[in-house]
Structures are given as structure tokens and as C-alpha cells.
Amino acid sequence: MTETAPAPAPPALTAAHRELLDQVLDKWSLQVLDSLCEQPQRFNELRRSVPAVTQKSLTATLRRLERNGMVERLVVRSRPVAVEYRITALGTTLQDLVDALLRWTADTLPDVEHARSRYDAEVLDDAGPRA
Amino acid sequence: MTETAPAPAPPALTAAHRELLDQVLDKWSLQVLDSLCEQPQRFNELRRSVPAVTQKSLTATLRRLERNGMVERLVVRSRPVAVEYRITALGTTLQDLVDALLRWTADTLPDVEHARSRYDAEVLDDAGPRA
DNA sequence: CAGTATCCCCTACGATACTG
DNA sequence: CAGTATCGTAGGGGATACTG
């Protein structure tokens, strides 16, 4: 499947690559990116867009994404200050990836759930080592 | 960019989707899958293929991948027992995704590193709140 | 060989309180 | 509004020891 692209030699999985994926595909990043993709938002707007996130985690996530060039932080010197976050060009390239990821999960989740049921039924039933 | 694919409506990011991605894109899974993609392997072969992994983590990773239908565990009743792990059809569909991920990191890592340098220089220098 | 079991640490995260 | 600072906890992972 997908013979359309010649697949130009997938590069090796170095520590630097893994680190980047970790920083960018982590628990909250996907949701934040996803939300910022639709429209730029302020800090507290984002908190509401991503319901379960705490201030601390949201701040950490935004800083990490900012550091990696995925989002941009714009301070409007009003009173009180307003801070707007928006996705960068680099961030949108990531969004395409995330969409692919999401489509994959949507496609395979039924199969995965089936596999899980089988596993849970035949493995978790009998205890003890599996050799 | 990439107007080639119509992008058939990326599905929402539910908890189930995130869970699957977490289980499958975690620290060791990528390397294990990658290694198994080239050829089926026994437990200790895998340990050598993925140098930094511990027994415990490798076992946990393999169990998780097996449960999700990504790898298959075959017990050869010899003495001592031999156990072979091989990637499933489902697992190979994931591999395509991982390749895409890796290609993305390879493409964007230079930009990301540049962004990091800028961030570290202009933000980490002056301490204090950023409002 | 292919694990399981135990201990232990460390950091990721949430909760809470405070500030320009 | 948009954070920073501090504390406390849960669990993911390593090191080590043991087993069919």
C-alpha cells in the first residue's frame, strides 16, 4: 500500500530524532497543536480548549513547543497583558503528520481492539511464566 | 504544501486514539518494531539489537506490542525453549507511519535546532517572568 | 534461554499558593 | 490575565537476583 511515494530511504532512529518526537508528540502537545491549528488563542482560551490540562503542564507544553519552533508567542502590551499563541509554519508541517497518525489509529483501532480482546482472554487468564 | 492527498477528514483526538499512540510510539517500541521489521528475532537477539534496553523494559514493550497485535510471539518447544518474535501485518502498517515520522524529523531537525538556539539565547539569558 | 520478582530512584504531573 | 514557585505523590524505568 501507498506505492505512490518512492519512500526516500527512511533515516535511522538516532537519539536526536527520538528526542524531537518525544518533545512534539507528548501527552498535551498534540491537543494543543490541534487546537492552535484552528485558530490562534490566548493562554486561558487554550486552557478551556484542552479541558484536562493544568496551568503548569500547559505552560511547560507551550514553552517546549515554542523552543522547538512549533508555536509562536506574541505579547500584546495592554493592561493587563495579553499573550497570543499561534502555530508556526513548522508547526503546520507537523500537523500533517499528526493527521496521518490519527487516520492510522482510526483505521486500525478496530483491529487493535480485537487483538487486545484475544490477548486478554488467552494470556491473562492463565497466570505464571509464559515459556 | 502537499495538496496531493485529499486528506479524508482527520478524526478527532480521543482518549482511545491517544492511548494507542502512546502504547505504540513509546520509548522502545519504535526501535523494537524497526529491528523486527528487518527480520524475526529471539529475545536475546533483540536485546543485542536494541543495545540500551533492559530485560524488564524489553519484556514490557514486547508484551504491549503483542497485546496490540503489532508483534507475534512464537514458542518453539525445544530445550531450552526458543521464543521468536516477528512483526505482524498490522505492525508493518505502523512501520510506514514511523518512516513518515522519521522522514519528518530528518527534514525539520535543522530548522528545529535553529529555533532552539534562538530560544535558548533570547529567553534563557534573562530570567524572571515573561509578561 | 527467556523470562519473573523485588527494590529503589527519579521525574513527570497535579494541587495549591502567590505575583506583575 | 498569564504566569512562577513550592510541595507532594504515583509510576515508569533501571539494577539486581532468582527460576522453568
Side-chain angles (χ1 to χ4, degrees), chain B:
Chain B
M1 10 80 179
T2 69
E3 304 84 329
T4 54
L13 181 58
T14 71
H17 291 99
R18 262 233 61 88
E19 191 203 5
L20 177 53
L21 289 178
D22 281 346
Q23 302 219 348
V24 128
L25 296 182
D26 82 293
K27 187 176 183 186
W28 301 113
S29 295
L30 292 192
Q31 297 170 69
V32 169
L33 248 2
D34 209 51
S35 186
L36 282 182
C37 252
E38 297 173 22
Q39 58 176 324
Q41 280 168 84
R42 313 250 305 255
F43 188 81
N44 283 326
E45 286 181 300
L46 267 173
R47 284 188 71 183
R48 285 183 285 274
S49 299
V50 185
V53 77
T54 61
Q55 293 153 322
K56 184 182 176 182
S57 298
L58 180 55
T59 303
T61 300
L62 287 170
R63 291 292 175 274
R64 199 167 33 237
L65 291 176
E66 186 191 358
R67 191 172 107 91
N68 287 285
M70 300 293 144
V71 308
E72 198 173 11
R73 180 178 182 273
L74 304 168
V75 180
V76 180
R77 295 217 155 279
S78 54
R79 204 204 39 111
V81 290
V83 178
E84 194 183 69
Y85 291 93
R86 57 174 62 212
I87 200 162
T88 63
L90 212 54
T92 61
T93 70
L94 176 59
Q95 183 65 16
D96 292 341
L97 255 301
V98 173
D99 287 350
L101 247 30
L102 253 18
R103 259 179 256 116
W104 179 83
T105 57
D107 287 351
T108 60
L109 196 51
D111 290 345
V112 169
E113 280 172 342
H114 185 239
R116 284 175 182 172
S117 304
R118 295 214 326 132
Y119 182 92
D120 292 349
E122 79 183 37
V123 176
L124 293 184
D125 272 359
D126 45 31
R130 303 183 56 199

Side-chain angles (χ1 to χ4, degrees), chain A residues 10-77:
Chain A
L13 182 58
T14 71
H17 290 101
R18 263 233 60 87
E19 190 203 6
L20 176 53
L21 288 178
D22 282 345
Q23 301 221 346
V24 127
L25 295 183
D26 82 292
K27 186 176 183 184
W28 300 115
S29 294
L30 291 191
Q31 297 171 68
V32 169
L33 248 0
D34 208 50
S35 185
L36 282 181
C37 252
E38 295 174 22
Q39 58 176 323
Q41 281 169 82
R42 311 249 305 256
F43 187 81
N44 283 326
E45 286 180 299
L46 268 172
R47 283 189 71 183
R48 284 184 286 275
S49 299
V50 186
V53 77
T54 61
Q55 292 158 320
K56 186 180 174 182
S57 298
L58 180 55
T59 304
T61 300
L62 287 169
R63 292 292 175 275
R64 199 168 32 237
L65 291 176
E66 187 191 357
R67 189 172 108 91
N68 287 284
M70 299 293 144
V71 308
E72 198 173 13
R73 181 179 181 271
L74 305 168
V75 180
V76 181
R77 296 218 154 280

